[in-house]
Amino acid sequence: MHSNNLPSLTYDFNSSESFLTRISASAKIMLVLAFALCIALLSSVSAQLFLLGYSFMLIFLAKIQLRALIKRVLSLDGFLIFLWLTLPFSGPHGVELALSITIRTHAAVFAFMALLGTTSMGELLYGLRALAIPQKLVLLLHFTYRYARVFVEEAEKIYTSMTLRMFHPSLSLGTLRSYGNLIGMLLVRSILRSERVAHAMELRGFDGSFHFLESPASPKEGDNFRLGVLYILLAGCFIL
Amino acid sequence: MTSFLSLQNISFAYPSSEPLFSRLNLNLYREGKIFIRGRNGAGKTTLFSLIMGLLKPTEGSILLEGNPIKTKKDIRHLRRKVGLLFQDPDDQLFCPTLLDDILFGPLNLGMEKEEAMDSAMKAMKVLNIVSLASYPPYALSGGQKRLGALAALLSMKPELLLLDEPSNGLDEEAWENLVSVLQKLPIALVIASHDIPFLEQVTHKGYEMKKGYLLSLN
């Protein structure tokens, strides 16, 4: 396979089959949305701690590799350190607020990793269509995912050609102008590429509807019961 | 022999530019592998875009099996029979996995899922890329992407393929693999390229594009 130094855009954190990989993508999307709603709306620390525990359970159920989990948590905590360095000194409830944000972000990241990180992009797009999300939005998500790497590669190519011609970023108008050129060139190239992709689609009979491959779920006996328990636990936490 | 695709007195100019073609004629047949070569900017890609209906000639007509291409319906009919391989396969592979991409055309043509899958598998077997089916296109090498884009066209069962600089950016192994694949393909090809060794191995005759005209080279 092609190898380069770009960060991987795939987000399969587990290689083994689990209950969460067997259930349908649309059920996982609904669950993660419900979870996101709960974690955003519930303000009591005890409820947030419950949801953190719930997200840990999801991680366990999804059989996520520990190394992948630690990597993500460390990159998240890198941002949260700045929060802890400033927020506690900003007012009487600073520590409480910083703690709440820390719990919420960790819970949200764990839940998204467990539920969406175990879903392939094809399944996710199919799941969104099954939930009657407008096709235009689904296609927008799909093309963003597909061309994010190409976009990064284009930016790297331009930046490399700048550095090879002795470009050193500094606090100057010249640097700003160079970055402006880079962004402008990326924009132009993106427009041209989007035109070519549209042509390629048109030439292969695209008429406005995208026939995504069906990714039927293959739940085993008891999987739907387990899914029901997850929904009930979440609903119970929200009600209480 | 009656020509499959015929370009008659085609003229074309981009807005605010000198005419690129002036009364150009070309006949393409259902058999044979031919090349079109010419300097950068000579109009090879533009010629393919005109054939496929992506650009409109300012003058002249294009005939498919003797019938002029006039309406959108005619263009759709032409695109069922003629496939175009782009210079950059990243422009042509836009689905979550390679298999989705190869199925994209057949499903749009109205094939049933089983039939489309059968056609996709046949195309992948011909190009020996069945093992790549579940990979996302961005994870493939340049040569694999090129074969994937070719499979996406073959699965639509075209009668003529237009290949725009197919050997661009390929390493020696991928280059040789593509040569061997194209030599064996039982389908008419028109290849636009400056890669003379590649053209010598795959095609048997061709044209030089110069100042808006096609000069026959044998």
Side-chain angles (χ1 to χ4, degrees):
Chain A
M1 289 299 96
H2 184 52
S3 67
N4 55 30
N5 297 325
L6 292 167
S8 169
L9 288 170
T10 52
Y11 45 88
D12 286 326
F13 296 116
N14 72 340
S15 51
S16 51
E17 192 196 279
S18 69
F19 143 64
L20 287 178
T21 58
R22 291 192 299 264
I23 59 172
S24 74
S26 46
K28 286 193 267 187
I29 294 167
M30 288 297 288
L31 187 60
V32 84
L33 285 178
F35 183 89
L37 203 66
C38 286
I39 200 77
L41 293 180
L42 295 178
S43 52
S44 89
V45 174
S46 56
Q48 289 167 8
L49 282 172
F50 174 84
L51 289 174
L52 184 63
Y54 183 93
S55 65
F56 261 131
M57 183 182 65
L58 290 177
I59 289 279
F60 173 73
L61 287 174
K63 297 181 185 171
I64 301 252
Q65 290 165 1
L66 193 64
R67 186 185 285 183
L69 179 69
I70 292 170
K71 205 174 154 189
R72 292 283 150 148
V73 171
L74 284 179
S75 56
L76 171 69
D77 290 349
F79 287 105
L80 289 174
I81 283 172
F82 291 104
L83 190 83
W84 278 97
L85 287 175
T86 52
L87 207 55
F89 311 104
S90 64
H93 300 292
V95 175
E96 211 176 298
L97 199 59
L99 182 68
S100 170
I101 292 171
T102 305
I103 295 170
R104 283 177 193 213
T105 46
H106 280 84
V109 166
F110 292 161
F112 273 79
M113 269 180 82
L115 293 168
L116 299 188
T118 54
T119 314
S120 74
M121 195 60 187
E123 287 170 334
L124 193 64
L125 297 172
Y126 185 73
L128 288 169
R129 285 295 292 140
L131 290 171
I133 303 293
Q135 174 151 277
K136 279 186 183 170
L137 286 180
V138 177
L139 285 183
L140 204 60
L141 172 70
H142 161 57
F143 283 112
T144 306
Y145 173 77
R146 168 64 185 91
Y147 286 100
R149 174 178 290 261
V150 179
F151 189 80
V152 172
E153 280 174 353
E154 294 275 1
E156 280 191 348
K157 269 189 227 164
I158 298 173
Y159 194 76
T160 305
S161 85
M162 284 162 68
T163 49
L164 287 176
R165 283 182 282 157
M166 311 311 286
F167 170 71
H168 293 291
S170 61
L171 279 175
S172 66
L173 267 178
T175 297
L176 275 179
R177 199 178 300 122
S178 300
Y179 279 124
N181 288 340
L182 187 148
I183 293 164
M185 193 48 72
L186 272 178
L187 188 69
V188 170
R189 287 190 186 190
S190 301
I191 291 168
L192 292 175
R193 187 178 288 279
S194 68
E195 280 174 359
R196 293 196 299 269
V197 172
H199 281 158
M201 292 171 73
E202 208 181 301
L203 290 180
R204 284 198 273 151
F206 182 66
D207 59 358
S209 55
F210 210 105
H211 303 273
F212 284 114
L213 257 193
E214 277 188 38
S215 307
S218 51
K220 283 187 181 170
E221 203 182 334
D223 281 352
N224 287 333
F225 173 73
R226 292 188 192 103
L227 181 66
V229 171
L230 286 179
Y231 273 111
I232 290 167
L233 276 175
L234 198 59
C237 173
F238 190 76
I239 292 163
L240 290 173
Chain B
M1 198 178 0
T2 325
S3 61
F4 173 61
L5 190 77
S6 177
L7 278 70
Q8 297 185 344
N9 298 317
I10 294 289
S11 300
F12 179 78
Y14 284 106
S16 329
S17 301
E18 292 284 299
L20 198 55
F21 305 125
S22 182
R23 305 183 75 77
L24 180 138
N25 291 291
L26 176 68
N27 287 316
L28 300 171
Y29 300 90
R30 273 200 180 82
E31 285 166 11
K33 297 177 167 80
I34 66 164
F35 68 81
I36 295 175
R37 68 181 202 211
R39 60 171 177 78
N40 287 339
K44 302 184 292 293
T45 303
T46 304
L47 182 67
F48 284 172
S49 297
L50 285 166
I51 292 174
M52 298 303 294
L54 294 172
L55 294 172
K56 212 175 165 188
T58 43
E59 252 182 85
S61 53
I62 297 172
L63 282 74
L64 181 74
E65 295 170 314
N67 302 310
I69 303 297
K70 285 180 179 169
T71 62
K72 281 188 178 175
K73 197 179 162 193
D74 296 334
I75 292 175
R76 272 202 299 275
H77 180 63
L78 179 138
R79 289 172 183 172
R80 279 172 175 260
K81 299 200 167 206
V82 183
L84 169 63
L85 184 80
F86 285 22
Q87 275 188 35
D88 184 349
D90 264 322
D91 295 338
Q92 215 154 7
L93 300 173
F94 42 76
C95 291
T97 66
L98 185 63
L99 179 62
D100 290 339
D101 238 308
I102 297 171
L103 285 167
F104 182 84
L107 290 174
N108 283 334
L109 290 182
M111 285 187 202
E112 289 297 318
K113 281 208 172 100
E114 289 74 24
E115 192 191 353
M117 186 63 93
D118 185 51
S119 185
M121 287 309 289
K122 275 183 188 158
M124 285 191 289
K125 274 181 191 160
V126 167
L127 304 177
N128 201 19
I129 54 167
V130 177
S131 59
L132 304 177
S134 60
Y135 281 95
Y138 65 74
L140 304 177
S141 69
Q144 289 167 335
K145 278 183 195 169
R146 191 89 55 179
L147 291 178
L150 192 56
L153 299 180
L154 289 181
S155 65
M156 293 172 75
K157 301 175 182 167
E159 293 177 39
L160 170 70
L161 275 183
L162 312 175
L163 311 179
D164 195 359
E165 305 281 2
S167 62
N168 255 10
L170 298 184
D171 64 23
E172 200 176 338
E173 196 185 332
W175 189 93
E176 279 169 7
N177 188 26
L178 186 65
V179 166
S180 132
V181 161
L182 294 179
Q183 280 172 340
K184 286 180 207 153
L185 266 190
I187 188 173
L189 302 178
V190 181
I191 303 178
S193 176
H194 334 85
D195 186 346
I196 308 287
F198 181 83
L199 294 176
E200 278 173 353
Q201 295 223 35
V202 180
T203 60
H204 61 279
K205 68 168 191 171
Y207 299 89
E208 170 96 31
M209 186 170 270
K210 222 172 193 178
K211 294 179 182 169
Y213 293 97
L214 284 170
L215 309 171
S216 178
L217 307 166
N218 287 312

